[in-house]
Amino acid sequence: MAAPQPSMASSPPLPKKNSEYRETQYWDERYRHALDTAPYEWFGNFEAFRDLLEPELQPEDRILVLGCGNSALSYELWRGGFPDVVSVDYSPVVVAAMRDRYAHAPSLRWETMDARALSFPTSSFDVVLEKGTLDALLAGERDPWAVSAEGIQTVEEVLREVSRVLTPRGRFISLTAAAPHFRGQHYAQPQYGWSLRHASYGSGFHFHFYLMHKGGELSAAQQALGVRLHAPCSPPPSPRFLQDSDQEDFLSAIEL
């Protein structure tokens, strides 16, 4: 049976401020008509990163998709020969819509659940996959170079749950707009018990593909990167003022 064909998607409603991306109410309203609109894909559709993703998957894998939204990713996995896929989102509106849209694929399961407090038993999945979920939870951060304590805690809550529900040799895959110097420090934490690898994909603007293998180890450089996450921020350098003098050596006063 073919999948139902949704109408073409119009531009989704934008929040009044970026911090609304972290709120369930915003997503409920955004997905109010999700069943009738085409899937919206953050950071590329399945074909954009398929060559990176599929080699990391086995047909028998139990796969968990976090923050599924109305993306077609779970369905594309099913079509690609990976039938055991559970998708969660904290918006009950979109979960209901996705159950209806893909009712013809009964092995796909959809659950209302917060990625920070998963109700699955420990070691339930071989693969956990997220695409843009952490980006949404970090929306509203004022400085990507210095994530707030609240932002760090939010990411840690998700990653602890990911590590917990993965099997001892499981894989966590994260697709994001965040480059390694921003996101790598969150993933490079020994407490999660995984290794870390990075690749990029896309033409023009590049997105980022992070692969973490449970049971692996972080490199020394990655451990050093992880330490930076909890290091106190250095105060900004004191400004240096140039004197109004024909003899001033301007180049020596410029901090590059």
Side-chain angles (χ1 to χ4, degrees):
M1 179 179 176
Q5 295 298 313
S7 60
M8 293 301 292
S10 58
S11 297
L14 297 176
K16 294 179 181 178
K17 52 186 179 179
N18 283 344
S19 59
E20 291 184 30
Y21 281 121
R22 300 180 296 199
E23 299 174 5
T24 310
Q25 295 90 333
Y26 166 73
W27 295 105
D28 282 345
E29 184 58 33
R30 175 171 175 145
Y31 292 131
R32 193 69 61 190
H33 304 290
L35 185 60
D36 302 318
T37 57
Y40 187 85
E41 300 294 348
W42 298 87
F43 314 143
N45 60 26
F46 187 66
E47 291 303 320
F49 50 83
R50 185 172 195 158
D51 290 344
L52 290 171
L53 178 60
E54 285 195 335
E56 306 303 329
L57 306 179
Q58 300 295 327
E60 65 275 12
D61 280 340
R62 297 163 293 171
I63 301 173
L64 172 64
V65 177
L66 300 179
C68 62
N70 72 335
S71 167
L73 174 59
S74 301
Y75 179 61
E76 294 293 347
L77 289 169
W78 179 82
R79 289 182 61 199
F82 307 100
D84 193 350
V85 181
V86 179
S87 306
V88 302
D89 199 286
Y90 64 6
S91 168
V93 173
V94 78
V95 167
M98 297 299 270
R99 282 177 181 158
D100 289 343
R101 173 174 290 177
Y102 298 115
H104 64 288
S107 69
L108 292 179
R109 290 172 288 160
W110 311 88
E111 301 289 343
T112 302
M113 204 175 297
D114 192 321
R116 293 165 287 192
L118 300 172
S119 61
F120 303 111
T122 298
S123 301
S124 297
F125 296 96
D126 303 294
V127 176
V128 176
L129 178 62
E130 74 91 19
K131 182 159 76 84
T133 301
L134 290 175
D135 295 66
L137 291 174
L138 287 173
E141 285 290 324
R142 293 181 178 273
D143 183 359
W145 292 98
V147 179
S148 68
E150 178 186 6
I152 293 173
Q153 180 180 350
T154 295
V155 175
E156 285 183 346
E157 289 172 352
V158 175
L159 298 184
R160 279 199 299 265
E161 284 293 88
V162 169
S163 180
R164 181 184 66 80
V165 302
L166 279 174
T167 59
R169 296 293 176 182
R171 289 89 72 204
F172 173 43
I173 297 167
S174 174
L175 296 101
T176 171
H181 47 270
F182 295 127
R183 189 58 54 82
Q185 58 186 345
H186 294 276
Y187 297 147
Q189 299 296 322
Q191 63 177 307
Y192 306 128
W194 55 41
S195 60
L196 173 60
R197 183 160 62 86
H198 166 265
S200 60
Y201 67 95
S203 57
F205 188 88
H206 285 135
F207 300 114
H208 301 276
F209 179 102
Y210 296 91
L211 172 66
M212 286 134 276
H213 269 267
K214 281 295 291 289
E217 295 183 354
L218 299 168
S219 69
Q222 289 168 343
Q223 292 183 50
L225 176 65
V227 168
R228 285 172 31 193
L229 183 65
H230 298 286
C233 295
S234 301
S238 300
R240 297 179 64 177
F241 299 99
L242 303 181
Q243 297 176 2
D244 186 11
S245 168
D246 291 338
Q247 304 301 315
E248 181 68 37
D249 183 358
F250 290 100
L251 290 178
S252 68
I254 297 174
E255 299 206 15
L256 300 178

